Amino acid sequence: MNTLISRRALGALLVSTGLTLSLPAFAQNEIKIGYNADQSATGAAELGLAGLYGFQAAIEDLNAQGGVLGRKIVGVVRDDAGAPPKSIQNMNELIDNEKVAAVVGPTNSGNALAWLHIPQQKKVPVISHVATATDITARYAKEAQNYIFRVSMVDREQLALLTAYAVKASKTKKIAIIADTTGYGQAATKDLQEILALHGITPVGIEKFGPKDTDMTSQLAKLKAAGADMVLSGSLGDATAQVLKSMEKMDYYPGLLSTWSSINTPLVNIAGPKLSEKTIFAASTTEDANDRAVALNKRLIAKYPNMPAFVSAAQGYDAVMLIAAAVKQADGTDGPKLQQALENLGKVQGIIKLYDKPFSKEQHEALGVADFHLAQWKNGRVVKVDDAVVKGLTAADLKR
Amino acid sequence: MTAFLQALASGLALGAIYGLIALGFNITYATTKTFNFGQGAFLVPGSLVGVSLLLLAAGKPHFGNLSQQEMTLAAYGLATVASVVVVGAIGVALYYCAIKPFVGAGGLNWVLSTIGFGIIMQNTALAIWGPASIAVPSPLGSEVWRIAGAGIRPQEVLIAVVAVAVMIGLDIVLRKTRFGKALRAVAFNPQAAAIVGINVETIVILAFVISSGLAGLAGILIAPITTASVFIGLGIALKAFSAAIVGGLTSPRGCMLGGFLLGVVEALVGLWRAEMREITIFLLIIVVLVVRPGGLMGARSVEKI
């Protein structure tokens, strides 16, 4: 009996060793890039889905040019369903089993913060293409090598742009803050207060509401009484929709500025198409921002007619392009070398812009406030805001 | 003044939601001295089943967004009936799984079993629908009605009208009909009720079906305001339970009064400081329980030995 088992075990060992030995030979012709993001479950899933379309389009383009270093690029896609445990599992699987060179993702900041230590310990670069929490790139900033990069919005930076607009657009300089009581909302409130202080402004009101509240008329009544003509909202898209609906009830429409979560369709679905046009939010790019964006959007819409969030498609696309450039520069997919290459890239053409030294040892954000646009919903699509206030914004206004 | 009126209107609208859900606690408490602690989770299939049926009828997958054109009053009415029936049927399962083994046995095992049943149901819904919320257009349109400067939505008025109608209905059923008399007989003394020929178990099951059906009704009614989602029920149900306690668990009128009272207090305190809302509400509950342990309109219970 014992002999039988050991024979079987030996057989299995031989087969598995054979497989392992044959794998590197097989993989030499491929470079795998992982994609780990929510594409199905939470309110932000559509950002993850659009990000995937951009990710795939970039891989198509690279392979059409013969790949990188003569090797084909392969995307390995995992859906984390917005759940941190699933996201952690995906990350281990992508790195340990799939042996990806780098990972693009995730959608939700909470998921990133749950697994950041994994790529950091296993020395696999990650580019966050959707999640915005400031801490994502900052957590390992003091380590010898920080493996976490980002091509997306950063909370502090987008709030700086929103505040700059509010200060410029406000006639009375009476600016108020409204945010939900979640960690996201309260962190935004703190940032907004600090940024307003840099402008020398004390908000005339700071209001809170529960994340599931549907009626904010009491809070808005106080802001109205305080004379606020600009309101900064640090909340997720669904909550901003409820703020708009409460504004409609009161027929009180101050300028409402919100974070890029308003780019999600829940805002339009809950507030309705007309009302949703009444908030301006930050976006890294829009489908009409430049010729490359127009072309990519046209190409993706032809394939995925329902794709709403072009912005994360562009960010997903650019993340892959930056990884490809780094692989070329590092002449391979060795993690530490790839990390070094990312920190020392030259010019890389992306959809959002021409990146010129996008990252350095100290700077892991490819995009900053100067790259961001203000956008709003118009007829069911996100378009750039280009009013007199935006035109009047200068670099000096972007205090952060 | 407008701000005060607006708070009043918003508070009454919110209170109607609490009251409607609170009514679901009333009928089972009246018969078995138990109620469904998982009532919040019962709102979830209430809203999602109805909305999914509307989506399927419109030829879309069960998960997505309804357009205003697809939401007619007739379709909404049918979806509401379907929600009430489906969630009412779940009430039968609730009775057999979570109530029957414990009823009349004393102790508080039913508290945990009903909470557990609710959690099982909520997670089943999570598996079917996922965590994202579905925006639901109101069949009455989205424009705001204005009364002296204060805005209120037609859907909120609809909820208030339905809630008051259900309250009156329950009141009449409990006081005037044979079924109501049987209910009260069962509540008073199940053994005696059985001796006089009342099928106690049928009456109790019916009470749970009505209670669950009410949660189904509430779920689909509030969906256009709160969106339909797996996580919508808990917070609202806790407030509704508070409303039932404040108003009086034994009285439909008390449940409704408690709902309106809580909604208005919440909105008015919100005019002052948002973070004081919950504090005020739960202080109010404690005060009411000290002064009138049965709730504002509840029967004064006299323990007989």
Side-chain angles (χ1 to χ4, degrees), chain A residues 287-296:
Chain A
E287 59 194 49
D288 57 355
N290 59 47
D291 294 346
R292 296 178 307 276
V294 171
L296 179 67

Side-chain angles (χ1 to χ4, degrees), chain A residues 70-89:
Chain A
R71 291 158 70 181
K72 194 180 164 210
I73 305 283
V74 177
V76 188
V77 181
R78 295 288 181 270
D79 184 354
D80 69 17
K86 180 76 183 144
S87 208
I88 291 171
Q89 191 190 349

Side-chain angles (χ1 to χ4, degrees), chain A residues 87 270 376-377:
Chain A
S87 208
I270 296 170
Q376 72 187 126
W377 286 91

Side-chain angles (χ1 to χ4, degrees), chain A residues 218 222 245 248-249 269, chain B residues 65 146 153 156 267 271-272:
Chain A
S218 295
K222 282 155 72 185
K245 285 181 86 168
E248 187 187 26
K249 266 191 187 175
N269 290 332
Chain B
N65 283 299
R146 254 170 239 298
R153 283 175 202 282
E156 293 171 333
L271 274 182
W272 169 45

Side-chain angles (χ1 to χ4, degrees), chain B:
Chain B
M1 189 60 197
T2 317
F4 178 77
L5 267 180
Q6 181 64 58
L8 203 62
S10 294
L12 287 174
L14 209 56
I17 297 177
Y18 298 156
L20 183 60
I21 300 163
L23 286 172
F25 290 114
N26 162 256
I27 189 154
T28 60
Y29 191 76
T31 30
T32 60
K33 293 280 175 282
T34 64
F35 42 79
N36 178 10
F37 261 109
Q39 193 85 351
F42 277 64
L43 300 174
V44 174
S47 57
L48 287 170
V49 164
V51 171
S52 286
L53 285 175
L54 288 173
L55 281 165
L56 291 172
K60 294 179 173 175
H62 75 286
F63 188 89
N65 283 299
L66 274 173
S67 64
Q68 186 71 56
Q69 293 81 15
E70 287 154 359
M71 182 58 102
T72 61
L73 211 48
Y76 187 69
L78 286 175
T80 305
V81 172
S83 282
V84 171
V85 170
V86 169
V87 185
I90 300 174
V92 179
L94 171 78
Y95 171 74
Y96 280 108
C97 298
I99 298 287
K100 193 183 177 193
F102 311 113
V103 74
L108 292 172
N109 291 350
W110 58 274
V111 173
L112 194 61
S113 67
T114 53
I115 293 175
F117 191 90
I119 292 174
I120 291 171
M121 207 170 59
Q122 191 181 13
N123 283 281
T124 309
L126 188 65
I128 301 174
W129 283 282
S133 57
I134 304 177
V136 184
S138 164
L140 301 172
S142 60
E143 80 279 23
V144 173
W145 292 348
R146 254 170 239 298
I147 306 155
I152 191 158
R153 283 175 202 282
Q155 186 72 21
E156 293 171 333
V157 176
L158 176 71
I159 293 174
V161 169
V162 171
V164 171
V166 169
M167 176 202 85
I168 294 171
L170 269 182
D171 220 38
I172 292 174
V173 165
L174 283 177
R175 280 162 205 262
K176 300 279 159 68
T177 64
R178 281 177 66 89
F179 173 65
K181 285 178 182 143
L183 265 176
R184 283 189 293 155
V186 168
F188 185 69
N189 188 333
Q191 284 80 19
I195 289 167
V196 298
I198 297 170
N199 188 337
V200 173
E201 185 156 47
T202 310
I203 296 288
V204 172
I205 292 175
L206 272 175
F208 272 90
V209 168
I210 294 173
S211 168
S212 306
L214 281 177
L217 176 68
I220 185 106
L221 278 173
I222 64 173
I225 292 173
T226 59
T227 73
S229 125
V230 170
F231 302 111
I232 212 65
L234 277 179
I236 295 179
L238 185 63
K239 292 273 174 61
F241 181 63
S242 312
I245 296 287
V246 168
L249 258 173
T250 51
S251 150
R253 296 178 205 182
C255 290
M256 215 52 234
L257 174 78
F260 282 130
L261 188 68
L262 250 57
V264 170
V265 167
E266 199 179 317
L268 290 180
V269 173
L271 274 182
W272 169 45
R273 285 186 76 145
E275 56 268 39
M276 290 301 288
R277 288 182 310 178
E278 320 286 301
I279 297 175
T280 315
I281 284 175
F282 287 96
L283 276 178
L284 177 76
I285 291 169
I286 294 169
V287 170
V288 167
L289 287 183
V290 169
V291 181
R292 286 189 66 105
L296 292 174
M297 294 187 79
R300 298 211 172 185
S301 58
V302 182
E303 292 284 336
K304 287 181 184 167
I305 302 165

